[in-house]
Amino acid sequence: MEQKLLRIQARALEEMAGAKSLEELNEIRVRYLGKKGELTGVLRGMGALSPEERPRIGQIANQVRDKIEEKLNDSTARLKDRIKREKLAAESLDITLPGTVFNLGRLHPLTVVTRRIEDIFLGLGFSIAEGPEVELDYYNFEALNLPKDHPARDMQDTFFITQEVLLRTHTSPVQVRTMERTAPALPVKIIAPGKVYRRDDDATHSPMFHQVEGLAVDRRITMADLRGVLQVFAEQMFGPETRTRFRPSYFPFTEPSAEVDISCVMCGGRGCRTCSHTGWLEILGCGMVHPRVLEMSGYNSGEVTGFAFGMGVERITMLKYGIDDLRLLFENDMRFLQQF
Ligand code: PHE
């Protein structure tokens, strides 16, 4: 019996040494020490021993059990420790490494300038209106006094979706949509920022660009109001020393029409490369809303007048920051964008 016990012990220890997982160790525990385990089986057979032998064999059996138990606990602890260390090594967490630096984003220069323009006009009592980029021929042209065969349509060649649906070439259709919605209420005082599209692509033209439209309709609005508003805008946008001048121009939806120049932001008007030595930079088109446009939009042109203007956000951004190629604004090169 003694031999049997020692053999059990030896086998148990050997199996433990070869165990590679906590499950295996647990199986060994069950196999030897469990209710139906080998050692338990032997102990049950002790009843057959003589009274002299029983204490001696009992003692050996207890020693064997303690030994197996001790070794099992030992192996389990060591295996747990190893598993933990392997896990940590796999994670390779080094808390002394420098942290990840997250790049902070910032607003695109076109967004900065659009918001600045909005701020200025909100300060002058205008509110912000919007219209669709996919627009009807009617709003983009027809209702702006540009009938189907009008030659001025050539200057704004665009992308047609169907014969009557197109990508808007300017933000002016928002004038009409706003007046239709508001008429006959007065006053109308809105600006309309947004994307516009034209068949154009070079260093100063992009097939997609941004405009901000302006519209004021009320009794007794005059060109002096237009001049005053745009002078305030120019001073707030480009600095208090900025001067403006109006040059006669033509748009089918305004009469009279004008182009507005500001004194050159680079040379202050003395003449330089940026202003082609003229001292002036063109920034927008404008005029008094054509009576026919007022009528088509639901206003009585005998009672009310209005002014309108449209400016290019890219152009104003380029002038404000001295950017010489429009395409830089759309290439999304971080080295460029980080400068703003
Ligand atoms: N819509 C014109 C353009 O895109 C600009 C403009 C707007 C002119 C409003 C007069 C009045 O060129």
Side-chain angles (χ1 to χ4, degrees):
M1 191 134 203
E2 185 180 347
Q3 290 302 309
K4 209 169 172 185
L5 283 168
L6 291 177
R7 251 183 282 126
I8 289 177
Q9 171 175 318
R11 204 148 27 82
L13 294 188
E14 195 180 315
E15 282 179 31
M16 262 179 249
K20 283 181 186 61
S21 69
L22 293 172
E23 288 76 30
E24 271 178 68
L25 284 175
N26 203 40
E27 274 164 29
I28 293 169
R29 183 185 296 276
V30 171
R31 198 151 58 238
Y32 289 96
L33 306 178
K35 270 206 187 78
K36 289 175 189 154
E38 282 195 47
L39 193 61
T40 323
V42 175
L43 289 176
R44 247 187 231 119
M46 285 216 340
L49 292 175
S50 64
E52 300 83 54
E53 269 203 307
R54 218 176 287 160
R56 198 175 64 84
I57 298 292
Q59 204 187 355
I60 295 173
N62 281 336
Q63 279 167 1
V64 168
R65 192 197 54 215
D66 289 350
K67 182 97 187 161
I68 295 178
E69 209 154 60
E70 186 196 315
K71 284 282 171 196
L72 262 173
N73 291 341
D74 233 47
S75 304
T76 307
R78 231 172 318 145
L79 192 61
K80 273 188 176 161
D81 196 53
R82 212 179 72 205
I83 290 171
K84 193 163 101 188
R85 260 183 293 117
E86 275 171 8
K87 247 192 200 157
L88 282 177
E91 277 177 11
S92 67
L93 178 72
D94 182 350
I95 59 168
T96 66
L97 284 173
T100 312
V101 180
F102 290 97
N103 281 323
L104 271 189
R106 64 185 75 207
L107 295 176
H108 191 280
L110 288 176
T111 307
V112 174
V113 169
T114 304
R115 290 192 183 175
R116 180 80 191 106
I117 296 171
E118 288 173 357
D119 270 359
I120 295 170
F121 284 104
L122 286 171
L124 288 167
F126 287 74
S127 39
I128 295 172
E130 280 184 358
E133 288 168 29
V134 178
E135 185 53 284
L136 293 174
D137 184 281
Y138 176 76
Y139 289 110
N140 195 80
F141 291 128
E142 208 98 4
L144 288 166
N145 202 25
L146 275 139
K148 284 263 181 329
D149 52 4
H150 198 290
R153 282 193 179 207
D154 283 356
M155 295 190 306
Q156 301 193 4
D157 197 6
T158 185
F159 305 91
F160 280 84
I161 285 127
T162 68
Q163 283 241 310
E164 298 300 328
V165 181
L166 46 78
L167 294 184
R168 67 179 180 189
T169 58
H170 49 182
T171 42
S172 299
V174 187
Q175 286 187 36
V176 180
R177 287 180 174 273
T178 304
M179 284 191 279
E180 272 188 355
R181 217 177 30 242
T182 317
L186 292 170
V188 179
K189 267 181 101 178
I190 56 108
I191 57 163
K195 290 184 170 65
V196 299
Y197 304 82
R198 285 186 203 181
R199 215 180 129 251
D200 261 340
D201 200 3
D202 59 39
T204 52
H205 296 88
S206 151
M208 184 282 302
F209 60 105
H210 299 78
Q211 286 189 334
V212 177
E213 192 79 10
L215 172 72
V217 178
D218 205 350
R219 291 191 183 84
R220 291 188 299 276
I221 292 250
T222 71
M223 208 152 181
D225 298 309
L226 175 59
R227 283 214 64 165
V229 164
L230 292 179
Q231 178 61 38
V232 168
F233 166 73
E235 286 173 17
Q236 295 206 8
M237 193 71 204
F238 297 104
E241 67 289 344
T242 313
R243 287 163 293 131
T244 58
R245 77 172 181 187
F246 277 49
R247 275 182 295 111
S249 186
Y250 172 77
F251 298 102
F253 36 92
T254 47
E255 180 60 34
S257 303
E259 223 110 30
V260 174
D261 300 337
I262 57 167
S263 49
C264 180
V265 289
M266 297 295 162
C267 62
R270 280 183 303 278
C272 67
R273 237 185 40 178
T274 303
C275 59
S276 311
H277 304 282
T278 62
W280 296 97
L281 297 164
E282 183 190 320
I283 60 157
L284 57 82
C286 64
M288 301 306 291
V289 182
H290 196 291
R292 228 179 275 157
V293 175
L294 287 173
E295 294 288 340
M296 278 190 277
S297 306
Y299 281 96
N300 181 344
S301 61
E303 272 173 29
V304 304
T305 51
F307 67 70
F309 57 84
M311 61 181 89
V313 180
E314 280 76 3
R315 179 151 176 80
I316 289 178
T317 305
M318 289 168 77
L319 292 175
K320 190 161 174 59
Y321 294 117
I323 300 165
D324 58 6
D325 191 331
L326 171 87
R327 288 169 291 206
L328 287 167
L329 292 169
F330 301 118
E331 281 165 357
N332 288 334
D333 185 332
M334 291 300 286
R335 292 169 301 179
F336 171 75
L337 293 175
Q338 264 163 355
Q339 300 175 52
F340 301 93

